[in-house]
Amino acid sequence: MRRARPHRVRMSTLFGTPLPLVLAPMAGPGTPALVSAVCGAGGLGSLAGGYSAPDAIRAEIREVRARTDRPFAVNLFVPSEAAIAGDARLRDARDALAPYREALGLDAGALDVSSPSFDAQLAVVLEARVPFFSFTFGIPRPDALDACRRAGITTMGTATNVAEARALEAAGVDVICAQGSEAGGHRGGFLGGDAGSLVGTMALVPAIVDAVKRPVIAAGGIMDGRGVAAALALGASAVQLGTAFLRCPEAGTSAPYREALARADETSTTITRAFTGKPARGIASRFTREMERAPVAPYPLQHALTRELRAAAARAGDAELLSLWAGQGVARARALPAAEIVASIAREAGLTR
Ligand SMILES: Cc1cc2nc3c(=O)[nH]c(=O)nc-3n(C[C@H](O)[C@H](O)[C@H](O)COP(=O)(O)O)c2cc1C
């Protein structure tokens, strides 16, 4: 068995932040205000750019920099080759959504499935020279990783099993984020299919720590100082938390989403493809239950097909049709300002007094 590592020293050299705590990138609820609040409290904030147009990412980076001079990360979604669907499959997926659209007063919906270009998004990250670039769903092309290296940007990739961690290390990625199956939001796996991407954090972190030489960040189900202490004891150099910050006033979480979070317990979440075409963990709802066997287009096409529906559901305050991404630790998410959450977690974990 490996001995525990001297995490705190590793962490401060790794991120240049006082605390080994990373705010997970959260496409949707992750605002520049939340990112900068976590940075200001001593953690590393991550801006989620995966769904955003390059100009929007540029504007959000500027906003974070106006609020804090601490380091932060920008996160993108690595595109996959499988994002092509025949017309028939797209039409079936669109038709399966028709009753929900109708209930919200929307028409049948166009097959407009465009999404932002990864290369254009990455160009903004490079141009802004953000200190950290994190990503999920795969490994960027070697030329993209080279460009980050040349720009002095530290790269952080997501792994849900040892094979993915080894592939990231072999590609020269600097830091590996081990995402356990408890995690809220999308599964970041890209090798091994659905079954191979559902290892729990407690088993995944030591497996990856033992398999690679790169520093490992633990993610999934970590909600308080106890979870942080456990992850560091398992050999993680830092810990990434998403769900723990969803109820912060700085988060862009909508009112019906907040109400669902406040009611949820450890049995409330499920993994569904119905919103985006990729498996993601969120609070179960009428939509996730009814769509279990419905035709779904591959990611990111399904995300584009459900975009209007989700926006209309948010306007109508209908949580049953919203993507309510959350991890299994959701019942321990505190409705407090981000800085207070960071300070409490650091105290509970014995990182500060
Ligand atoms: C609302 C929400 C949105 C998320 N969006 C992203 C994202 O854009 N990019 C990403 O790499 N991970 C995303 N994740 C996953 C997180 O990076 C992380 O793995 C997860 O939050 C850790 O588990 P926890 O939620 O139990 O803390 C998201 C998670 C949540 C809860």
Side-chain angles (χ1 to χ4, degrees):
M1 192 190 80
R2 269 197 201 184
R3 299 196 126 253
R5 295 172 173 181
H7 343 276
R8 280 168 241 182
V9 175
R10 290 179 63 85
M11 175 64 201
S12 56
T13 47
L14 181 59
F15 290 145
T17 56
L19 296 168
L21 304 179
V22 182
L23 164 71
M26 292 195 284
T31 57
L34 183 60
V35 172
S36 51
V38 169
C39 293
L44 182 80
S46 311
L47 201 52
Y51 293 137
S52 308
D55 282 349
I57 298 175
R58 190 177 291 110
E60 293 209 333
I61 290 173
R62 212 172 286 138
E63 194 178 335
V64 172
R65 285 190 165 147
R67 289 168 177 266
T68 182
D69 52 12
R70 299 268 177 96
F72 64 99
V74 173
N75 176 269
L76 297 178
F77 297 151
V78 178
S80 64
E81 313 255 323
I84 302 158
D87 284 353
R89 192 163 168 204
L90 254 186
R91 209 167 304 116
D92 286 351
R94 183 194 59 178
D95 292 350
L97 299 170
Y100 302 103
R101 295 182 61 94
E102 203 180 314
L104 288 163
L106 301 169
D107 61 21
L111 289 175
D112 171 13
V113 288
S114 59
S115 45
S117 136
F118 175 78
D119 287 347
Q121 292 173 318
L122 183 65
V124 173
V125 174
L126 291 168
E127 156 206 303
R129 290 184 183 260
V130 294
F132 297 93
F133 165 49
S134 74
F135 51 86
T136 187
F137 302 158
I139 308 179
R141 292 187 320 267
D143 61 304
L145 290 174
D146 280 348
C148 290
R149 218 163 287 126
R150 281 196 304 276
I153 297 172
T154 301
T155 53
M156 320 203 303
T158 307
T160 63
N161 54 41
V162 166
E164 290 167 359
R166 287 203 171 114
L168 288 162
E169 180 173 57
V173 173
D174 299 310
V175 180
I176 290 161
C177 181
Q179 187 194 40
S181 64
E182 298 93 322
H186 282 101
R187 305 297 311 138
F190 53 97
L191 302 172
D194 287 2
S197 90
L198 288 174
V199 183
T201 304
M202 190 66 126
L204 184 66
V205 171
I208 291 184
V209 165
D210 286 352
V212 299
K213 295 198 175 61
R214 308 281 172 176
V216 174
I217 303 176
I222 301 166
M223 304 300 295
D224 55 28
R226 293 171 294 183
V228 172
L232 296 180
L234 293 173
S237 297
V239 170
Q240 179 161 303
L241 306 91
T243 303
F245 291 98
L246 281 173
R247 299 180 66 197
C248 293
E250 299 94 336
T253 318
S254 66
Y257 191 173
R258 284 178 192 271
E259 283 158 26
L261 291 166
R263 282 195 305 270
D265 66 25
E266 76 286 0
T267 66
S268 301
T269 68
T270 188
I271 293 184
T272 180
R273 286 178 185 274
F275 287 107
T276 67
K278 259 196 196 292
R281 185 180 292 284
I283 298 172
S285 63
R286 180 162 75 83
F287 187 75
T288 64
R289 283 187 289 272
E290 291 176 357
M291 288 287 292
E292 236 165 69
R293 270 170 218 87
V296 164
Y299 174 89
L301 308 179
Q302 184 74 8
H303 175 258
L305 287 178
T306 63
R307 190 181 288 139
E308 247 189 334
L309 175 75
R310 286 178 281 114
R315 281 194 303 276
D318 187 352
E320 294 299 313
L321 299 179
L322 275 181
S323 51
L324 304 167
W325 304 138
Q328 289 178 323
V330 58
R332 254 150 299 283
R334 295 172 256 198
L336 289 173
E340 284 184 39
I341 292 180
V342 172
S344 308
I345 291 177
R347 224 175 17 248
E348 292 157 6
L351 300 168
T352 55
R353 285 189 217 195

